Coordinates of all heavy atoms in Angstrom, one line a residue:
Q82 N -1.7 35.4 21.6 CA -1.4 36.5 22.4 C -2.0 37.8 21.9 O -1.8 38.9 22.5 CB 0.2 36.6 22.5 CG 0.8 35.5 23.3 CD 2.3 35.6 23.2 OE1 2.9 36.0 22.2 NE2 3.0 35.2 24.3
G83 N -2.6 37.8 20.8 CA -3.3 38.9 20.2 C -2.4 39.9 19.4 O -2.8 41.0 19.2
Y84 N -1.3 39.4 18.9 CA -0.4 40.3 18.1 C -0.7 40.2 16.7 O -0.4 41.2 15.9 CB 1.1 39.8 18.3 CG 1.6 40.2 19.7 CD1 2.0 39.2 20.6 CD2 1.8 41.5 20.1 CE1 2.5 39.5 21.8 CE2 2.4 41.9 21.3 CZ 2.7 40.8 22.2 OH 3.2 41.2 23.4
I85 N -1.2 39.1 16.2 CA -1.4 38.9 14.7 C -2.8 38.3 14.5 O -3.4 37.7 15.4 CB -0.3 38.0 14.1 CG1 -0.3 36.6 14.7 CG2 1.0 38.7 14.2 CD1 0.5 35.6 13.9
E86 N -3.2 38.3 13.3 CA -4.4 37.6 12.8 C -4.0 36.8 11.6 O -3.1 37.3 10.8 CB -5.5 38.6 12.5 CG -6.1 39.3 13.7 CD -7.1 40.4 13.3 OE1 -7.2 40.7 12.1 OE2 -7.8 40.8 14.2
K87 N -4.7 35.7 11.4 CA -4.4 34.9 10.2 C -5.7 34.7 9.4 O -6.7 34.3 10.0 CB -4.0 33.5 10.7 CG -3.6 32.5 9.6 CD -3.1 31.2 10.3 CE -2.8 30.1 9.2 NZ -2.4 28.9 9.8
Q88 N -5.6 35.2 8.1 CA -6.8 35.2 7.3 C -6.5 34.4 6.0 O -5.4 34.6 5.5 CB -7.3 36.6 7.0 CG -7.6 37.4 8.3 CD -7.6 38.9 8.0 OE1 -7.0 39.4 7.0 NE2 -8.2 39.6 8.9
Q89 N -7.6 33.8 5.5 CA -7.4 33.1 4.2 C -7.3 34.2 3.1 O -8.0 35.2 3.1 CB -8.6 32.2 3.9 CG -8.4 31.2 2.8 CD -9.5 30.2 2.8 OE1 -10.6 30.4 3.3 NE2 -9.2 29.0 2.3
S90 N -6.4 33.9 2.2 CA -6.2 34.9 1.0 C -7.4 34.9 0.1 O -8.0 33.8 -0.1 CB -4.9 34.5 0.3 OG -4.9 35.2 -0.9
M91 N -7.8 36.0 -0.4 CA -8.9 36.1 -1.3 C -8.5 35.6 -2.7 O -9.3 35.0 -3.4 CB -9.4 37.6 -1.5 CG -9.9 38.2 -0.2 SD -11.4 37.5 0.3 CE -12.4 38.9 0.6
E92 N -7.2 35.8 -3.0 CA -6.7 35.3 -4.3 C -6.5 33.8 -4.4 O -6.6 33.2 -5.5 CB -5.4 36.1 -4.7 CG -5.6 37.5 -5.0 CD -5.5 38.4 -3.8 OE1 -4.7 38.1 -2.9 OE2 -6.3 39.3 -3.7
D93 N -6.0 33.2 -3.3 CA -5.7 31.8 -3.3 C -6.1 31.2 -2.0 O -5.6 31.5 -1.0 CB -4.1 31.7 -3.5 CG -3.7 30.2 -3.5 OD1 -4.5 29.3 -3.4 OD2 -2.5 30.0 -3.6
E94 N -7.2 30.4 -2.1 CA -7.8 29.8 -0.8 C -6.8 28.9 -0.1 O -7.1 28.6 1.1 CB -9.1 29.1 -1.1 CG -9.0 27.9 -2.1 CD -10.3 27.3 -2.4 OE1 -11.3 28.1 -2.6 OE2 -10.4 26.1 -2.5
R95 N -5.7 28.4 -0.7 CA -4.7 27.6 -0.1 C -3.7 28.4 0.7 O -3.0 27.9 1.5 CB -4.0 26.7 -1.1 CG -4.9 25.8 -1.9 CD -4.1 25.2 -3.0 NE -3.8 26.3 -3.9 CZ -2.9 26.2 -4.9 NH1 -2.3 25.1 -5.2 NH2 -2.7 27.3 -5.7
S96 N -3.7 29.7 0.5 CA -2.8 30.6 1.1 C -3.4 31.4 2.3 O -4.6 31.8 2.2 CB -2.2 31.6 0.1 OG -1.3 32.4 0.6
F97 N -2.6 31.7 3.3 CA -3.1 32.5 4.4 C -2.2 33.7 4.6 O -1.0 33.7 4.4 CB -3.0 31.7 5.7 CG -4.1 30.6 5.8 CD1 -3.8 29.3 5.3 CD2 -5.3 30.8 6.3 CE1 -4.8 28.3 5.3 CE2 -6.3 29.8 6.3 CZ -6.0 28.6 5.8
L98 N -2.9 34.8 4.9 CA -2.2 36.1 5.1 C -2.1 36.4 6.6 O -3.0 36.1 7.4 CB -2.9 37.2 4.5 CG -3.1 37.1 2.9 CD1 -3.8 38.3 2.4 CD2 -1.7 37.0 2.3
I99 N -0.9 36.9 7.0 CA -0.7 37.3 8.4 C -0.7 38.8 8.5 O 0.0 39.4 7.8 CB 0.6 36.7 8.9 CG1 0.7 35.2 8.7 CG2 0.9 37.1 10.4 CD1 -0.4 34.4 9.4
T100 N -1.6 39.3 9.4 CA -1.6 40.7 9.6 C -1.5 41.1 11.0 O -1.8 40.3 11.9 CB -3.0 41.3 9.1 OG1 -4.1 40.6 9.8 CG2 -3.2 41.2 7.6
L101 N -0.9 42.2 11.3 CA -0.7 42.7 12.6 C -2.0 43.3 13.2 O -2.8 43.9 12.5 CB 0.3 43.8 12.6 CG 1.8 43.4 12.3 CD1 2.6 44.7 12.0 CD2 2.4 42.7 13.5
T102 N -2.2 43.0 14.5 CA -3.3 43.7 15.2 C -2.7 45.1 15.7 O -1.5 45.3 15.5 CB -3.7 42.9 16.4 OG1 -2.6 42.8 17.3 CG2 -4.2 41.5 16.0
E103 N -3.6 45.8 16.3 CA -3.1 47.1 16.9 C -2.0 46.8 18.0 O -1.0 47.5 18.0 CB -4.2 47.9 17.6 CG -5.1 48.6 16.6 CD -4.4 49.6 15.8 OE1 -3.5 50.4 16.3 OE2 -4.6 49.6 14.5
K104 N -2.2 45.8 18.7 CA -1.2 45.3 19.7 C 0.2 45.0 19.0 O 1.2 45.3 19.5 CB -1.7 44.2 20.5 CG -0.8 43.7 21.6 CD -1.4 42.5 22.4 CE -0.5 42.0 23.5 NZ -1.1 40.9 24.2
G105 N 0.1 44.3 17.9 CA 1.3 43.9 17.2 C 2.0 45.2 16.6 O 3.2 45.2 16.6
R106 N 1.2 46.1 16.1 CA 1.8 47.4 15.5 C 2.4 48.2 16.7 O 3.5 48.8 16.5 CB 0.8 48.2 14.8 CG 0.5 47.7 13.4 CD -0.4 48.6 12.6 NE -1.8 48.5 12.9 CZ -2.5 47.5 12.4 NH1 -2.0 46.5 11.7 NH2 -3.8 47.5 12.7
A107 N 1.8 48.2 17.8 CA 2.3 49.0 19.0 C 3.6 48.4 19.5 O 4.4 49.2 20.0 CB 1.2 49.0 20.1
L108 N 3.8 47.1 19.3 CA 5.0 46.5 19.8 C 6.3 47.1 19.1 O 7.4 47.1 19.6 CB 4.9 45.0 19.6 CG 6.0 44.1 20.2 CD1 6.0 44.3 21.7 CD2 5.8 42.7 19.8
Q109 N 6.1 47.5 17.8 CA 7.2 48.1 17.1 C 7.8 49.3 17.8 O 9.1 49.4 17.9 CB 6.8 48.5 15.7 CG 7.9 49.0 14.8 CD 7.5 49.3 13.4 OE1 6.4 49.6 13.1 NE2 8.5 49.4 12.5
L110 N 7.0 50.1 18.4 CA 7.5 51.3 19.1 C 8.3 50.8 20.4 O 9.3 51.4 20.7 CB 6.4 52.2 19.6 CG 6.0 53.2 18.5 CD1 4.8 54.1 19.0 CD2 7.2 54.1 18.1
Q111 N 7.8 49.8 21.0 CA 8.5 49.2 22.2 C 9.9 48.6 21.8 O 10.8 48.6 22.6 CB 7.7 48.2 22.9 CG 6.4 48.8 23.5 CD 5.5 47.7 24.0 OE1 5.3 46.6 23.4 NE2 5.0 47.9 25.2
A112 N 10.0 48.1 20.6 CA 11.2 47.4 20.1 C 12.1 48.3 19.3 O 13.2 47.9 18.9 CB 10.8 46.2 19.3
K113 N 11.8 49.6 19.1 CA 12.5 50.4 18.2 C 14.0 50.6 18.5 O 14.8 50.9 17.5 CB 11.8 51.8 18.1 CG 11.9 52.7 19.4 CD 11.2 54.0 19.2 CE 11.2 54.8 20.4 NZ 12.3 54.9 21.3
D114 N 14.4 50.5 19.7 CA 15.8 50.7 20.0 C 16.7 49.4 19.9 O 17.9 49.4 20.1 CB 16.0 51.3 21.4 CG 15.4 52.7 21.5 OD1 15.5 53.4 20.4 OD2 14.9 53.1 22.5
I115 N 16.0 48.2 19.7 CA 16.7 47.0 19.7 C 17.8 46.9 18.6 O 18.9 46.5 18.9 CB 15.8 45.8 19.6 CG1 15.0 45.7 21.0 CG2 16.5 44.5 19.3 CD1 13.9 44.6 21.0
P116 N 17.6 47.3 17.4 CA 18.7 47.3 16.4 C 19.9 48.1 16.8 O 21.0 47.6 16.7 CB 18.0 47.8 15.1 CG 16.6 47.6 15.3 CD 16.3 47.7 16.8
L117 N 19.7 49.2 17.4 CA 20.8 50.1 17.8 C 21.5 49.4 19.0 O 22.8 49.3 19.0 CB 20.3 51.4 18.2 CG 21.4 52.4 18.7 CD1 22.4 52.7 17.5 CD2 20.7 53.7 19.1
Q118 N 20.8 48.9 20.0 CA 21.4 48.2 21.1 C 22.1 47.0 20.7 O 23.2 46.7 21.2 CB 20.3 47.9 22.1 CG 19.6 49.1 22.8 CD 18.4 48.7 23.6 OE1 17.7 47.8 23.3 NE2 18.1 49.5 24.6

Side-chain angles (χ1 to χ4, degrees):
Q82 292 174 325
Y84 288 114
I85 62 170
E86 293 176 345
K87 182 178 176 181
Q88 303 161 339
Q89 196 168 25
S90 170
M91 300 289 232
E92 290 86 40
D93 181 359
E94 63 185 37
R95 299 167 298 166
S96 182
F97 289 89
L98 300 178
I99 304 301
T100 56
L101 292 164
T102 63
E103 283 301 315
K104 183 178 178 181
R106 279 189 279 286
L108 190 62
Q109 185 177 20
L110 276 178
Q111 295 174 314
K113 69 180 174 35
D114 295 327
I115 290 175
L117 183 62
Q118 292 168 332

